[in-house]
Amino acid sequence: MVILSDTGGFLIGNWPLLRAHTDSAEGRRDYLGEHLADVANLAGEFASIFGQERVANLLGRLHDAGKALPAFQDYLDRLEAGSKEATGPPHAIWGAALACWVIYKVQGDLEGWKELCLPIAGHHGGLAASGDLSLRLEEFLKSQQAELRALAVALRDAGVLPRLERESLTRRDTSREFFIRMLLSALADADFLATEEHFKPKKADARGNWPTLDTLWPCFLANQNVVLAEAAGEPTAVKVNEIRAEVYRCCLEAATSEPGFFRLTVPTGGGKTRSSLAFGLVHALKYGLRRVVFAVPYTSITDQTAREYRSIFGDDAVLEHHSQMEQPEADEAQSRNAVRHRLSTENWDAPIIVTTTVQLFESMFARHPGKIRKLHNLAKSVIVLDEVQTLPVELLETTLDGLRTLVAEYGCTVVLCTATQPAYERTPVLSRLGNVEPREIVPQYPRHFKDLESRVRYVPRSEPQSWADLATEISDECQVLVVLNARRDAMALLDALGDTPDVVHLSTLLCGAHRRRVLSDIESRLKGGRVRAVCTQVVEAGVDLDFPVVYRAMGPLDRIVQAAGRCNRHGTQPEQGRVIVFEPRDGSMPRGTYQAGTKVAERLIARDGPAGLNNPKLYTEYFELVFSNADLDAKDIQGFRRALDYPETADRFRFIQPTVSAVVPYGEAEAKLRQWQIAPSRRAWQALQPYVVNLFLWQVPGFERDGYLELLDTGLYRWLGRYDLIRGIVPDAVDPSDLII
């Protein structure tokens, strides 16, 4: 192949003196040749995990090639002289155009340019739609021929750019779309890290140095022995403890199986949080995988899971990352560990990650480098999806296709955990995705459900109940949990109960600090007091509460079963627990899949009676019916992925609607807010988070108009309305989704 040699009269300047960035605060130069080589080496190292070292290395050598142009060097000179220009001349397009020229114009390949050009062009601004970039490059190639020739010659003569030869890039359809995103991940992370090394070497030094998985396993074993000893001292929970021990043994045995898809089906309270961790550690060590990633649907479970894992390993091994952990720059006074934790939320380089399903999947289908840069660290990982039945049905085809790609092409193992398995592989649409049938980790799980069915007795009711009648009925109970479908319903029941000291409330209308106080209050009262808890679905998964009586408004089958998991959870209640499934006469119901699932649940319960709710086969049938009547790619995301339309894909793939944070007047909120306003830092931001409630973006204009919200900073508000010690934020608004970031 012939490298372009005509300079077209364009002079590139003195290569050894060209810069990639302005000087550091200490006066160090960041020479362009060194920066390109550093990024190329790092990107190649990252992509070598999935066999693409040469391609990523080439991306690194080309990504900032446009900075060699005189216009960009002049821009850096102006910045050094004190200019406040926000952006300089476009430079990413030059590297993309250079790759496109050689592959498309010289080699005549009409398709292969996309794997190189899309990541290079998007390494700052994000991945474009392939069609849009194609048109832009075509115009650019026509207008900048002489300059491109000169740039190619300069890079070649400087020894920065090797001979451009097309790699074997044979992926197609959604596999290709994901591959390009993974290449951008390796490039963007390498570019971030190399630039950070220049401007903030102390921050760069704080990265890494995490404990290795082989050092964490002995810690887990030591802690497990303590847990087993404590369980031996609980004679009232013999059956539950026996099942937990058997689940743990099955996880250790299954961990030696080849990587791929697994299913961990465990009744609520069966110990899957610890057992899935044991599986992940042993499996990763057996097959040389790099980390264990736990994704859960709610921040309340994220907090709980991270706390449990930190109690085993300490703070140095566990990275907790969700939207409320994304904080501003760290202050200099912070410890090395605190700085490392913040830095690692950017690229997930810790051995154990605890995150939300929202954070995981929206990053997998994002377009901006800030979110995408972590993706390469998913390669060769164990990914544990807790409460997997909560994945949005309308996004299932894209979600499962992404998981299949990670398993088939990036060496991952995926574990689907829940008591109510959705049986994804039995759906005709999903069978097109290839072999996604998981192996069951606990083959004897039906016996476990049978053994524990004596914990609770389901009592379905056919006649709708008014809030007044329900309030009267539960007033006769000493300890009772009521789980409703919407926050509006919770408010209605609180109105009916009146102002009594034994009534508590849990929903996303309460800030995190308030919810933790209420949970602590409930746990204390359950040990020997009176408590009536009115809640939404925030308590249905992962929250370790143990009531003798639970009322659950008719809803999707999996939600009913999960609510039952808060009833006689540990099998220690003196009598069999009761789960009353009722229909509120004036109740609200989230639309869409939630409403459709409720109708299916009503039919199945009417057909099989309460006994069927203890049979896991019913859950499989339930999900088959729900999936068969639903559009699993309702937004046609797969079509946009095949077209390599990254902006449209990212816009359409959203687990929840966009939210903003509102600081509420609870506890130390005002003091923490003042600290953050006076001296913004990661520490101050983290201290403020427990006093924040997430509001949907669509609610903001109305709340601002009515004087309930005050804008403090981008995405951060102060709640000026009433904040009740029972109800939380008042007034209420319809809650279209129970998922929180």
Side-chain angles (χ1 to χ4, degrees):
M1 182 189 65
V2 178
I3 288 287
L4 304 172
S5 58
D6 180 9
T7 64
F10 182 78
L11 300 178
I12 202 68
N14 191 356
W15 174 262
L17 299 181
L18 299 181
R19 292 167 294 162
H21 302 97
T22 55
D23 294 350
S24 69
E26 297 77 18
R28 291 189 309 277
R29 281 285 168 99
D30 191 18
Y31 292 108
L32 181 57
E34 294 176 1
H35 176 70
L36 294 179
D38 289 344
V39 173
N41 292 334
L42 267 178
E45 177 186 336
F46 295 154
S48 67
I49 302 300
F50 50 94
Q52 295 297 328
E53 181 175 4
R54 289 185 62 192
V55 175
N57 186 285
L58 180 58
L59 293 177
R61 291 180 180 275
L62 286 173
H63 81 290
D64 275 354
K67 291 184 175 182
L69 301 174
F72 198 91
Q73 294 298 307
D74 290 344
Y75 163 69
L76 293 179
D77 288 339
R78 293 195 300 274
L79 291 182
E80 293 285 6
S83 171
K84 301 298 183 183
E85 296 174 66
T87 58
H91 67 274
I93 188 65
W94 288 89
L98 188 60
C100 182
W101 189 322
V102 174
I103 292 177
Y104 175 47
K105 293 293 187 182
V106 177
Q107 293 188 342
D109 184 352
L110 300 179
E111 284 293 318
W113 64 270
K114 296 178 182 179
E115 279 82 352
L116 301 180
C117 298
L118 281 163
I120 294 172
H123 78 273
H124 284 304
L127 289 166
S130 173
D132 293 342
L133 181 60
S134 179
L135 292 174
R136 185 184 176 199
L137 285 173
E138 187 173 348
E139 290 299 317
F140 193 86
L141 290 168
K142 290 178 181 178
S143 63
Q144 304 291 341
Q145 290 188 37
E147 289 85 349
L148 280 169
R149 290 191 183 99
L151 183 57
V153 171
L155 292 172
R156 182 200 62 188
D157 292 347
V160 174
L161 189 64
R163 293 173 62 86
L164 291 181
E165 297 178 2
R166 181 181 176 232
E167 292 284 340
S168 177
L169 304 171
T170 58
R171 291 171 173 80
R172 292 292 179 265
D173 296 329
T174 57
S175 174
R176 185 185 194 192
E177 187 262 3
F178 198 83
F179 175 61
I180 291 171
R181 194 181 278 108
M182 288 290 275
L183 288 176
L184 174 59
S185 173
L187 174 62
D189 198 25
D191 192 28
F192 272 110
L193 294 175
T195 303
E196 180 181 79
E197 177 68 34
H198 168 62
F199 284 111
K200 298 180 179 180
K202 290 183 179 179
K203 284 178 60 177
D205 289 343
R207 291 187 182 274
N209 300 316
W210 292 94
T212 58
L213 292 177
D214 60 338
T215 63
L216 298 181
W217 176 241
C219 297
F220 179 87
L221 283 179
N223 185 269
Q224 181 70 8
N225 289 333
V226 173
V227 170
L228 293 175
E230 291 174 350
E234 297 179 354
T236 57
V238 171
K239 183 57 68 176
V240 173
N241 287 333
E242 286 178 352
I243 289 174
R244 289 173 179 169
E246 189 167 12
V247 168
Y248 174 70
R249 289 194 298 271
C250 288
C251 283
L252 295 184
E253 293 171 3
T256 62
S257 301
E258 293 286 334
F261 276 98
F262 291 86
R263 176 186 287 135
L264 179 56
T265 309
V266 181
T268 54
K272 62 180 166 59
T273 301
R274 292 182 65 89
S275 294
S276 61
L277 173 60
F279 173 92
L281 289 172
V282 174
H283 188 73
L285 290 172
K286 167 78 173 175
Y287 292 101
L289 306 187
R290 301 184 298 163
R291 56 186 46 84
V292 185
V293 180
F294 293 87
V296 299
Y298 311 108
T299 51
S300 56
I301 313 178
T302 307
D303 297 339
Q304 180 174 290
T305 302
R307 282 198 305 271
E308 181 167 351
Y309 291 167
R310 288 192 188 107
S311 71
I312 299 172
F313 304 116
D315 293 340
D316 289 351
V318 181
L319 174 68
E320 180 183 0
H321 185 207
H322 46 77
S323 66
Q324 293 181 358
M325 301 299 292
E326 294 173 351
Q327 297 139 356
E329 290 293 312
D331 57 314
E332 293 299 322
Q334 281 190 268
S335 70
R336 179 186 177 90
N337 284 341
V339 175
R340 181 182 63 182
H341 184 284
R342 189 195 70 78
L343 297 177
S344 295
T345 61
E346 301 164 355
N347 65 354
W348 285 6
D349 63 350
I352 296 178
I353 310 287
V354 180
T355 188
T356 58
T357 49
V358 173
Q359 183 69 236
L360 172 65
F361 288 108
E362 290 193 358
S363 295
M364 283 173 58
F365 300 103
R367 63 176 292 259
H368 289 293
K371 278 199 168 186
I372 288 179
R373 65 179 292 198
K374 66 173 75 76
L375 289 190
H376 70 88
N377 276 326
L378 286 180
K380 298 196 71 173
S381 295
V382 181
I383 301 172
V384 180
L385 299 176
D386 196 14
E387 306 300 348
V388 70
Q389 79 283 351
T390 61
L391 295 178
V393 172
E394 66 276 10
L395 300 177
L396 267 182
E397 188 166 353
T398 299
T399 301
L400 293 182
D401 189 24
L403 292 175
R404 178 202 59 77
T405 302
L406 285 173
V407 170
E409 301 176 23
Y410 298 94
C412 292
T413 281
V414 171
V415 183
L416 310 176
C417 293
T418 183
T420 52
Q421 285 289 352
Y424 295 130
E425 73 282 357
R426 298 193 182 186
T427 304
V429 172
L430 300 182
S431 64
R432 297 201 305 265
L433 300 179
N435 182 20
V436 296
E437 184 165 1
R439 287 161 281 173
E440 181 60 59
I441 291 176
V442 185
Q444 63 271 41
Y445 72 86
R447 174 169 57 79
H448 293 165
F449 281 85
K450 182 69 175 176
D451 289 345
L452 292 182
E453 68 179 7
S454 61
R455 287 187 301 178
V456 301
R457 174 168 55 93
Y458 287 96
V459 185
R461 291 181 177 172
S462 56
E463 294 298 321
Q465 285 186 273
S466 68
W467 297 122
D469 289 344
L470 181 61
T472 300
E473 185 173 329
I474 66 174
S475 294
D476 294 334
E477 302 289 350
C478 180
Q479 297 176 347
V480 60
L481 169 67
V482 183
V483 183
L484 301 166
N485 290 318
R487 299 186 299 192
R488 175 179 292 175
D489 290 0
M491 297 301 104
L493 182 55
L494 289 174
D495 287 340
L497 286 168
D499 186 16
T500 55
D502 61 349
V503 173
V504 298
H505 160 237
L506 274 173
S507 77
T508 55
L509 292 172
L510 276 57
C511 67
H514 196 170
R515 289 203 302 267
R516 282 195 290 272
R517 186 191 66 77
V518 173
L519 281 170
S520 178
D521 185 28
I522 292 174
E523 290 170 357
S524 177
R525 295 189 192 194
L526 285 174
K527 293 176 181 177
R530 182 176 173 84
V531 57
R532 287 174 289 166
V534 178
C535 307
T536 59
Q537 302 105 350
V538 294
V539 301
E540 281 184 339
V543 179
D544 192 5
L545 296 176
D546 194 350
F547 280 84
V549 180
V550 170
Y551 281 68
R552 208 320 176 171
M554 177 60 73
L557 189 73
D558 57 305
R559 305 303 180 97
I560 294 171
V561 175
Q562 291 292 340
R566 308 321 115 190
C567 183
N568 198 14
R569 179 176 179 84
H570 304 295
T572 57
Q573 296 288 345
E575 297 180 1
Q576 187 180 33
R578 287 182 293 126
V579 178
I580 293 91
V581 182
F582 70 101
E583 181 181 346
R585 180 175 299 161
D586 301 312
S588 304
M589 177 71 65
R591 294 186 294 272
T593 304
Y594 194 100
Q595 189 173 43
T598 301
K599 293 184 180 300
V600 173
E602 289 174 343
R603 295 201 307 270
L604 293 180
I605 293 174
R607 184 195 71 187
D608 291 1
L613 288 166
N614 288 308
N615 185 356
K617 290 183 178 179
L618 186 68
Y619 315 152
T620 300
E621 181 182 1
Y622 164 78
F623 281 111
E624 287 180 345
L625 290 170
V626 170
F627 295 159
S628 66
N629 293 314
D631 187 346
L632 306 185
D633 186 19
K635 301 179 182 180
D636 192 29
I637 296 172
Q638 293 294 81
F640 287 103
R641 293 183 66 207
R642 293 184 185 97
L644 302 183
D645 190 336
Y646 291 94
E648 198 66 36
T649 295
D651 287 345
R652 291 170 180 252
F653 190 90
R654 292 186 180 275
F655 269 38
I656 63 170
Q657 299 181 45
T659 61
V660 299
S661 297
V663 181
V664 298
Y666 177 83
E668 301 180 17
E670 285 301 317
K672 301 301 183 185
L673 180 58
R674 283 195 298 272
Q675 291 173 11
W676 181 76
Q677 290 174 317
I678 293 170
S681 68
R682 175 187 180 276
R683 181 181 296 169
W685 180 256
Q686 190 172 24
L688 181 61
Q689 291 311 295
Y691 306 100
V692 160
V693 168
N694 285 332
L695 302 174
F696 291 102
L697 189 60
W698 62 263
Q699 296 175 296
V700 171
F703 283 156
E704 284 186 308
R705 182 186 63 245
D706 296 336
Y708 292 122
L709 282 180
E710 173 192 2
L711 181 63
L712 300 176
D713 201 347
T714 303
L716 180 66
Y717 293 79
R718 186 203 309 265
W719 178 255
L720 301 177
R722 184 162 67 94
Y723 188 82
D724 189 82
L725 291 181
I726 297 294
R727 298 166 181 261
I729 276 185
V730 180
D732 185 25
V734 175
D735 183 4
S737 171
D738 66 328
L739 286 175
I740 51 179
I741 300 177

